[in-house]
Structure formats: C-alpha cells, structure tokens
Amino acid sequence: MSIVTRLSGLSQTPAPIPLTARGTDRWEFFEYAALKQEQIARIGLRETALYANLAVSASVLAVFFQDRFDLTDQILLLMPFVTGVMFWIYFNNDYYVNFIGDYISTD
C-alpha cells in the first residue's frame, strides 16, 4: 500500500470507537464523550471571551479618543468593570477546562 492511499484514508470519517474500548464500560465512555464535548465548548467560550474583551476595550477607548461626548472621562471608568467581567469569564472557563482535563487524565 502506498503512502498516498494511506494518507487519503485520513480524510474519511474515522471508524466508531467501540463502547468497550480499553476495558471501560458503556457509561464511562458516554461520560468521557460528554466531558470532552463540554471541554471543547468551554475552550471556544474562553477564546471568545478573550476576543470580546479586546473588542470592548477597543470600543471604549475609541469612544474616549473621539472626544465627541461630554462623558468621555466617565467612559474610562467602565474599563475596569468590563475587563473584570471578561476576565472572570475567561478565568472560570480556563479553570474548568483544566479541571476536566485533569479529571479525564486521572480516570
């Protein structure tokens, strides 16, 4: 079998993992699959929170530097609150991503 035919098989959908893989029973496999899905979703939310933090910070600074409004100085007071909330979302999801990863690796 040539390398090209072996590599072309990689683009196809993988074979389903048997439910009794590595001596685990059906419920452990379903728990693993559910935890991996949650971990993937939390990674996506974590990255989205990082980009949203940058976008919100840039928009607050853009409003500040336009100097069209009378409240430009007060607008800067929003920055700690906005970045604090976005950091908390990022930190919370990062904590749970690591917690799920540790839980999966120890089981």
Side-chain angles (χ1 to χ4, degrees):
M1 179 180 283
S2 70
I3 293 177
V4 174
T5 56
R6 277 190 264 163
L7 291 178
S8 65
L10 293 177
S11 62
Q12 298 172 356
T13 57
I17 300 172
L19 294 178
T20 58
R22 293 186 288 141
T24 59
D25 63 351
R26 178 177 298 169
W27 299 112
E28 288 177 352
F29 175 75
F30 287 136
E31 180 188 20
Y32 173 79
L35 286 173
K36 286 306 281 184
Q37 288 298 321
E38 182 179 354
Q39 190 178 33
I40 290 169
R42 286 189 178 273
I43 288 172
L45 183 61
R46 180 183 67 181
E47 300 305 316
T48 303
L50 180 66
Y51 296 134
N53 188 12
L54 291 174
V56 169
S57 298
S59 63
V60 168
L61 289 175
V63 168
F64 174 73
F65 286 122
Q66 283 182 357
D67 205 22
R68 292 184 185 172
F69 303 104
D70 294 335
L71 303 173
T72 54
D73 295 335
Q74 286 82 12
I75 287 176
L76 279 183
L77 294 175
L78 289 175
M79 289 293 287
F81 176 73
V82 169
T83 56
V85 168
M86 292 305 215
F87 171 75
W88 183 253
I89 292 171
Y90 179 86
F91 178 75
N92 193 22
N93 281 300
D94 187 52
Y95 172 77
Y96 281 113
V97 164
N98 291 329
F99 182 78
I100 291 170
D102 293 341
Y103 178 77
I104 289 173
S105 67
T106 56
D107 270 355

